[in-house]
Each structure stands twice: as structure tokens, then as C-alpha cells.
Amino acid sequence: MHPPLVVDRHPQCEGVILELRACHAAHPAGKFWGACNDQKAAMDACFKAEKDEKRRENLRKARAFEAARAQRQAERAAAED
């Protein structure tokens, strides 16, 4: 199962999504018996790479936020002394 194949939501995977849609259109019944497995595997790999990139970016933002928070807290503690 895969998420909705909306190109707007997955701009990095646009080509792979369009290939899978074309395969499904070309093989209306065969898609259920593996006619489009290669395109589906490529799409899954693209989605995984996209998710890994988002995860890394969120981790970077969280670390920056935590460092800024720790800095503010240290400044407050220094101002109180």
C-alpha cells in the first residue's frame, strides 16, 4: 500500500509516480499480478529517500532549537547571579 499518488505532495518523486500511473493505465488487470512491480519498487525507494531527508532536516531543526533554548537558559541563569 502506498500514500496517495499526488505529485504536488512528492515533487522529488514526480517521474517515478508518473511511470507507475502509466504502467497502471497500460496494464489495468496486470497491475494486480505484478506487471508494475519494478515501478512500484522505484517509487517506494524514492518515498523512503524523501522521508529520510525530511527526518534529517527535522532532526537538524530540533537540535538547533534545543541549542538555542539551552543558550537562553544559560543567559537567564547568568543574569540571575
Side-chain angles (χ1 to χ4, degrees):
M1 197 68 178
H2 52 74
L5 300 180
V6 179
V7 177
D8 296 342
R9 296 171 90 184
H10 305 283
Q12 295 173 341
C13 301
E14 179 178 1
V16 182
I17 291 171
L18 294 176
E19 286 179 18
L20 182 63
R21 285 183 181 171
C23 182
H24 284 179
H27 304 94
K31 66 183 177 183
F32 298 111
W33 289 284
C36 302
N37 280 354
D38 294 338
Q39 291 85 354
K40 173 75 165 70
M43 186 189 66
D44 289 342
C46 185
F47 283 172
K48 183 179 187 306
E50 185 179 62
K51 187 174 183 178
D52 288 345
E53 184 178 321
K54 286 180 182 180
R55 186 180 298 124
R56 282 191 300 274
E57 180 63 22
N58 287 339
L59 179 60
R60 184 194 63 75
K61 286 180 183 177
R63 285 181 176 163
F65 179 81
E66 182 61 28
R69 187 187 66 77
Q71 179 67 29
R72 288 190 309 271
Q73 199 171 27
E75 290 171 358
R76 280 190 216 129
E80 289 177 359
D81 289 336

